Amino acid sequence: MSAPTIVWFRRDLRLADQPALHAAAGQGPVIPVYVLDDERPRNRRMGGASRWYLHGSLEALAAGFGRHRSRLILRRGDAVRELACIAEETGAAGVHAIRHYEPWWREAEEELGKAVNLTLHDGNYLMPPGGVTTGAGDPYKIYTPFARALMPHLPAREVLGEPSLTLPDAWPGSDTLAEWDLLPTRPDWAGGMRDFWTPGEAAAHETLEGFKDRVADYEDDRNRPSIDGSSRLSPHLHFGEISPAQVWDALAHHGGKGAQTFRGEVIWRDYTQNVICQFPKYPEASYRDTFASFPWRDPARTKGAAADLEAWQAGRTGYPIVDAGMRQLWATGWMHNRVRMIAASFLIKHLLIDWRHGERWFWDTLVDADYANNAVNWQWVSGSGVDSNMFPRIMAPLTQSEKFGAADYIREWVPELADLPDDEIHDPADGKRNGYPVKRIGHREARERALEAYRTAKG
């Protein structure tokens, strides 16, 4: 039998439309490998919610390989070292993998290519970063012209099916998933996530099928947190349980504004990868110079700012729409998209706390925490990004809550206010709060303070 080929899995945890797996399967026996590498990302170790989701996703992937009488090899440690060891142990002809763009994975791919015969494939995005460029040949920095340039090239390739797999003569040693302790024990804080999510490739496709029935109304429903209008595909896409090519293909014959808007959001995922390829440290530093001297309130130095940050994290700010979102995030590892913008804007502009505190909180609490998407979204809200909203455009949480009909959403996540009628629940009077906290700061006061800080930063 020919030498086996290793397929290195990361955020591409699927069997269908997996170009690396498909290519390796065409060469002979396949050894699928996932390495839990907490060493290489350094200060970007996967957060608690993502680790919980990863456990379920790997469980589902292993079961998928089991249907082919194959198995998923699990190793923990430096990915390059572990893959090189497996290659030596098995006499593997090489490693196939889907290309990733986080700076630590780009570094790892370069190192691994010096140790083994590494073949990289595209497949986690509609097109690889750099697939479209400006007239001058430069990568795009702004979303709208990027999306306009990308659209004529889509779909960029045909969707692949599950390949037939040939087994190696012998299997290398493997950890067990339980040994990795990805799941919480005491306290078990994952109950809400278990109720909300089913990880895995099959669940991803079921979610997509359900969304196809609702996509026509997506343009309006996506903004209404009390309606189940979101696709809920984000963690499935993030962990690669389904590919954007599969999503694009499934919606190809859906016209109308809703499908058009959703396709734009799938393109946004590609756009954020283009940003971190140009600016690898984008989650760590504001892009615009104005924010280098911005007078943020530092939670490490002042008790008031620390208390405000804790109240925001716990969903105790006194603004029901903000608090509903933050409690939903803690319970389920996910937050409605419109509410994400409201909650992020509140931290940055009402509480005047650096966007990076919010970015890191989301990194730890989101099941779909993505290095590029998370940072680009936070810098968009803060006004500090390469393509962003203007800082002086300050969202009014109470107005947003009423405008987008968030009353039932608030009742679900802020039960102290559940008995209030729609016209009171967005901004409850002091005597009707039932233990719910008063506002950390008034909207008008917060707005004036934020604008003054912005004027100070601009000099």
Side-chain angles (χ1 to χ4, degrees):
M1 184 177 288
S2 60
T5 299
I6 295 168
V7 178
W8 177 23
F9 285 84
R10 284 171 286 178
R11 291 193 302 101
D12 37 42
L13 306 180
R14 61 186 182 274
L15 275 70
D17 201 42
Q18 221 288 12
L21 179 64
H22 202 274
Q27 296 180 351
V30 172
I31 300 176
V33 177
Y34 182 91
V35 182
L36 180 62
D37 189 341
D38 286 329
E39 302 173 22
R40 190 167 292 274
R42 299 181 182 90
N43 68 336
R44 281 288 164 174
R45 183 179 184 267
M46 196 181 299
S50 294
R51 295 171 88 82
W52 172 85
Y53 195 97
L54 174 65
H55 180 101
S57 192
L58 289 174
E59 226 173 22
L61 183 64
F65 279 114
R67 295 197 314 271
H68 291 265
R69 297 185 300 111
S70 183
R71 64 182 71 173
L72 177 64
I73 301 301
L74 302 176
R75 293 287 183 93
R76 186 171 197 167
D78 179 87
V80 173
R81 182 177 64 243
E82 293 299 325
L83 290 164
C85 286
I86 294 173
E88 183 177 359
E89 178 183 347
T90 61
V95 176
H96 283 253
I98 289 182
R99 191 177 277 108
H100 284 54
Y101 300 102
E102 294 85 352
W104 58 90
W105 288 137
R106 294 170 71 183
E107 177 186 83
E109 289 165 2
E110 183 178 351
E111 291 180 16
L112 185 61
K114 296 175 182 177
V116 301
N117 180 18
L118 174 64
T119 304
L120 293 172
H121 304 262
D122 298 310
N124 265 12
Y125 299 96
L126 296 170
M127 285 187 72
V132 292
T133 56
T134 67
D138 299 321
Y140 284 96
K141 292 185 173 68
I142 307 300
Y143 168 75
T144 299
F146 170 82
R148 191 181 298 122
L150 188 64
M151 277 295 295
H153 299 281
L154 300 177
R157 61 178 180 82
E158 292 186 4
V159 171
L160 302 170
E162 282 191 18
S164 298
L165 298 178
T166 304
L167 308 185
D169 290 334
W171 290 99
S174 174
D175 296 347
T176 65
L177 195 54
E179 291 174 331
W180 287 359
D181 294 324
L182 297 174
L183 303 178
T185 51
R186 296 179 183 177
D188 180 4
W189 42 259
M193 292 192 291
R194 282 194 295 271
D195 292 341
F196 207 75
W197 299 110
T198 301
E201 187 171 5
H205 285 274
E206 289 175 10
T207 301
L208 176 60
E209 286 301 309
F211 178 59
K212 284 164 63 177
D213 296 332
R214 298 181 281 110
V215 71
D217 300 318
Y218 183 73
E219 169 66 13
D220 183 57
D221 287 356
R222 68 184 179 131
N223 285 313
R224 299 186 174 277
S226 295
I227 294 174
D228 185 19
S230 299
S231 73
R232 298 200 185 181
L233 284 167
S234 56
H236 298 300
L237 282 164
H238 171 71
F239 281 96
E241 297 168 337
I242 194 169
S243 74
Q246 290 172 309
V247 173
W248 197 272
D249 183 68
L251 298 175
H253 301 296
H254 289 256
K257 186 66 174 176
Q260 180 182 344
T261 297
F262 184 73
R263 280 191 281 266
E265 293 180 355
V266 178
I267 291 174
W268 180 266
R269 293 183 70 254
D270 275 47
Y271 166 72
T272 65
Q273 300 303 311
N274 275 262
V275 171
I276 65 161
C277 280
Q278 296 174 73
F279 313 108
K281 295 184 179 180
Y282 200 77
E284 314 298 334
S286 295
Y287 173 81
R288 297 185 184 275
D289 293 340
T290 299
F291 290 83
S293 58
F294 197 90
W296 300 112
R297 299 170 63 236
D298 188 352
R301 295 187 177 184
T302 63
K303 290 183 179 179
D308 283 349
L309 176 59
E310 290 174 4
W312 178 81
Q313 292 170 339
R316 301 283 294 171
T317 68
Y319 285 79
I321 183 65
V322 174
D323 295 339
M326 296 306 294
R327 295 183 193 188
Q328 181 186 35
L329 171 62
W330 183 256
T332 69
W334 182 85
M335 192 193 306
H336 185 276
N337 182 61
R338 167 61 57 174
V339 186
R340 287 193 199 198
M341 290 190 288
I342 297 169
S345 178
F346 186 87
L347 178 73
I348 295 164
K349 299 174 184 180
H350 280 66
L351 301 182
L352 214 59
I353 291 175
D354 193 325
W355 63 268
R356 282 164 285 206
H357 289 283
E359 191 274 337
R360 291 311 290 258
W361 183 253
F362 275 26
W363 178 262
D364 193 50
T365 55
L366 282 171
V367 294
D368 59 1
D370 183 275
Y371 184 78
N373 214 0
N374 194 31
V376 172
N377 289 344
W378 273 96
Q379 291 224 50
W380 186 90
V381 173
S382 71
S384 61
V386 60
D387 183 4
S388 61
N389 196 9
M390 295 177 64
F391 184 90
R393 292 181 181 174
I394 298 172
M395 298 181 83
L398 304 179
T399 303
Q400 290 275 315
S401 182
E402 187 172 2
K403 177 181 179 180
F404 293 111
D408 287 341
Y409 178 74
I410 293 169
R411 290 188 181 98
E412 179 177 4
W413 296 107
V414 188
E416 307 97 298
L417 306 177
D419 294 335
L420 294 183
D422 287 6
D423 60 350
E424 296 181 23
I425 197 168
H426 306 288
D427 187 15
D430 290 346
K432 297 185 177 182
R433 288 183 168 247
N434 297 323
Y436 180 69
V438 298
K439 297 182 182 72
R440 301 296 298 184
I441 188 172
H443 173 64
R444 179 173 295 181
E445 177 189 353
R447 186 176 187 278
E448 291 174 355
R449 183 175 67 175
L451 293 176
E452 178 59 30
Y454 184 64
R455 285 190 290 267
T456 298
K458 290 189 72 176

